[in-house]
Amino acid sequence: MNKHPNTDDFFATVAEKSHGAALRGDYTHADAEYVVKQDWHAYTLEQHALWRRLYQRQADLVPGRACDEFLKGMAKLDAADGIPDLTQASEILFAATGWRLVAVPGLVPELTFFTHLAHRRFPVTVWLREPEEFDYIVEPDVFHDFFGHVPLLLDPVFSDYLQRYGQAGLKALKLDGLDYLARLYWYTIEFGLIQTPAGLRAYGAGILSSGGEIEYCLHSRLPRRIALRVERVMRTLYKIDTYQETYFVIPNFQQLFNATEPDFTPIYARLKALAVLPADTLLPDEVNLSLQQPVAGP
């Protein structure tokens, strides 16, 4: 597409949510779907070196902390040497699960995001953080998007779940359900934990791309770890500027897929009559799972 999007409303919404902060990406060349060209040759030697530092730190951390599906996808993508070419990575993805990557300037509107996911396209930001942001970044950059999210797109069940999430998002736009769906995304795709035969592991991209939370979520005794129930997750607020106070745990990706298969329309209707729950809530019928306690499967 050659038509450029009208970004005025989108930027106004972002400013409203972030006390007037502006998005950092260059949106001037985005098409109507907010897709841009990844000018891979424009990345500097210093940026590739920073990528390698970020990658090596996480590569040292994820064994024994990330789920096997992530580790297998990470090995297949083999992006240790520098910022990846999204077109080349797309070829690997498409051959495995039918997904493609699309380059975007940064955050995109909800409708655009859901539309991409519903069509098995994952948006990846093209810019990389600065060296002084090595440990923390406000907006997702190419390292977060690629390292954190893309390896699991090689898993058939998880990639189907992500497409279903996109389809649910398109429907939620018409049902006043975006807040509920945002919480589901946060607590699964960004900060989800999974119980494996080898123990508790991370699968959420926000954890897997973090130098500190990947250890905290698995071994700290401070946060709650609760078996995932979709309606419970959709009621639960979350923090964006601290480590999570609660993590929701699944026994396997098939359970996550099955739990999100039903139509969310009646769920949204029920939730509108219920109060939201603080991030550190433990309900009377819930168990704060010990670090060794298994999670029941479907």
Side-chain angles (χ1 to χ4, degrees):
M1 282 188 188
N2 295 319
K3 294 179 65 177
H4 295 286
N6 183 344
T7 56
D8 294 347
D9 290 343
F10 174 48
F11 288 160
T13 300
V14 171
E16 184 178 87
K17 292 179 178 178
S18 58
H19 303 291
L23 289 177
R24 140 178 207 178
D26 179 5
Y27 290 77
T28 57
H29 301 292
D31 70 14
E33 294 180 317
Y34 283 78
V35 175
V36 297
K37 177 184 177 182
Q38 183 198 26
D39 189 357
W40 188 85
H41 294 286
Y43 293 119
T44 65
L45 293 176
E46 291 77 13
Q47 287 175 314
H48 285 293
L50 176 58
W51 172 279
R52 289 193 292 272
R53 287 177 54 215
L54 288 162
Y55 191 100
Q56 188 59 56
R57 177 184 66 175
Q58 294 310 113
D60 290 342
L61 289 171
V62 292
R65 297 180 176 92
C67 62
D68 287 344
E69 294 87 347
F70 178 85
L71 296 174
K72 291 175 183 176
M74 179 181 159
K76 191 167 185 179
L77 290 165
D78 190 22
D81 290 339
I83 300 169
D85 183 318
L86 300 185
T87 300
Q88 294 178 6
S90 280
E91 293 175 0
I92 298 172
L93 278 178
F94 190 77
T97 59
W99 277 78
R100 293 192 185 278
L101 305 179
V102 291
V104 294
L107 296 173
V108 298
E110 289 151 340
L111 174 60
T112 303
F113 183 66
F114 293 140
T115 300
H116 281 310
L117 295 187
H119 291 87
R120 296 179 89 85
R121 300 188 301 258
F122 190 81
V124 177
T125 299
V126 293
W127 57 266
L128 181 67
R129 69 191 70 186
E130 297 296 329
E132 60 269 21
E133 300 170 304
F134 190 85
D135 291 315
Y136 177 76
I137 191 166
V138 177
E139 288 180 53
D141 69 341
V142 63
F143 183 77
H144 168 84
D145 285 346
F146 192 94
F147 185 95
H149 286 285
V150 177
L152 275 178
L153 290 176
L154 289 162
D155 180 79
V157 179
F158 185 84
S159 65
D160 285 350
Y161 165 69
L162 196 58
Q163 181 182 27
R164 174 159 291 168
Y165 178 88
Q167 294 166 342
L170 293 175
K171 191 171 183 178
L173 288 169
K174 305 173 184 178
L175 298 173
D176 194 24
L178 282 184
D179 286 344
Y180 306 126
L181 211 59
R183 294 166 194 154
L184 181 65
Y185 188 93
W186 187 265
Y187 281 118
T188 60
I189 296 167
E190 289 289 354
F191 289 96
L193 297 181
I194 185 169
Q195 186 71 56
T196 77
L200 199 62
R201 296 291 186 266
Y203 72 90
I207 298 171
L208 295 169
S209 61
S210 167
E213 192 153 4
I214 193 169
E215 174 69 15
Y216 174 87
C217 72
L218 297 176
H219 298 121
S220 173
R221 299 196 175 276
L222 295 177
R224 291 165 168 77
R225 300 171 183 87
I226 302 170
L228 181 139
R229 293 180 294 165
V230 168
E231 292 192 39
R232 162 66 156 102
V233 172
M234 288 184 174
R235 289 182 65 191
T236 307
L237 300 174
Y238 55 83
K239 302 289 183 65
I240 64 171
D241 54 356
T242 65
Y243 291 163
Q244 301 309 298
E245 296 179 302
T246 295
Y247 298 94
F248 291 94
V249 185
I250 60 173
N252 51 65
F253 288 135
Q254 189 62 51
Q255 186 264 355
L256 179 62
F257 185 84
N258 294 344
T260 54
E261 188 171 15
D263 180 12
F264 288 164
T265 304
I267 295 178
Y268 297 152
R270 288 194 294 271
L271 290 177
K272 286 175 183 176
L274 299 174
V276 295
L277 299 172
D280 62 349
T281 300
L282 185 69
L283 296 175
D285 63 341
E286 292 177 330
V287 175
N288 186 13
L289 302 169
S290 71
L291 299 181
Q292 293 78 35
Q293 191 168 353
V295 181

